[in-house]
Amino acid sequence: MDEAGLDARSLAALTLVHQHDGRSVEWLRRRVELTQSGTVRLVDRLVARGWLRRGPTSGRAVPLHVTSRGAARLARWARARDRSVAELLGTLPKRQQHVLIDAMAASLQAMPRARVQADATCRTCSWPDCGKDCPVDRSVSEAQT
């Protein structure tokens, strides 16, 4: 995160808004686990840095959008994260890499969670990488969506 100039909450907020464009501050608040005022201050900081923008309001909700500068910051984070993971996994033979990844996926899928908890779990992921086979998505029960 340091290499990309992001703290954990900023990274989480940018990632979530990037993958769920147009969601509200209240939606974001539940996923970054801050108070309403804390989330507003976080959004204010991200707007001031030019990484996030507020859209025109529709009723009470203010839609949030990641700017091109914010998307570039996220891309920088993803490259640094992926490089670190590749270095770590690169020390293992391919077979052990697959065993480790399968075990992690099984563990993530095994814990039933609500949609908001699943989104919070994935708040620093590259969402498209899992596609339709995300183990965290599979952990969301229909009753908890």
Side-chain angles (χ1 to χ4, degrees):
M1 285 185 284
D2 289 343
E3 186 176 320
L6 291 164
D7 61 80
R9 299 274 184 184
S10 296
L11 173 60
L14 285 173
T15 300
L16 288 163
V17 173
H18 191 254
Q19 294 305 318
H20 301 279
D21 186 58
R23 297 297 181 125
S24 68
V25 170
E26 177 58 22
W27 179 91
L28 181 62
R29 179 195 68 76
R30 295 179 64 212
R31 284 149 178 86
V32 294
E33 300 170 325
L34 286 172
T35 63
Q36 199 276 337
S37 61
T39 306
V40 169
R41 286 191 302 272
L42 172 62
V43 167
D44 287 345
R45 285 192 304 274
L46 295 173
V47 167
R49 290 181 175 160
W51 298 343
L52 200 65
R53 70 175 176 82
R54 291 178 174 94
T57 58
S58 56
R60 290 178 35 155
V62 177
L64 301 172
H65 308 280
V66 173
T67 65
S68 58
R69 287 181 61 199
R73 187 65 50 157
L74 282 173
R76 186 173 170 189
W77 145 255
R79 285 190 302 273
R81 181 207 53 214
D82 293 349
R83 187 173 48 251
S84 294
V85 170
E87 287 173 9
L88 180 65
L89 289 179
T91 63
L92 299 173
K94 288 287 183 198
R95 183 175 176 281
Q96 286 182 334
Q97 290 178 27
H98 291 293
V99 168
L100 177 62
I101 290 167
D102 290 345
M104 290 170 56
S107 179
L108 287 168
Q109 182 178 336
M111 182 193 313
R113 47 178 70 84
R115 176 80 264 155
V116 69
Q117 294 167 321
D119 289 349
T121 300
C122 296
R123 62 186 169 199
T124 60
C125 288
S126 292
W127 292 58
D129 288 348
C130 286
K132 295 185 185 287
D133 195 31
C134 174
V136 176
D137 273 347
R138 289 193 310 267
S139 75
V140 177
S141 69
E142 288 297 317
Q144 297 190 22
T145 54

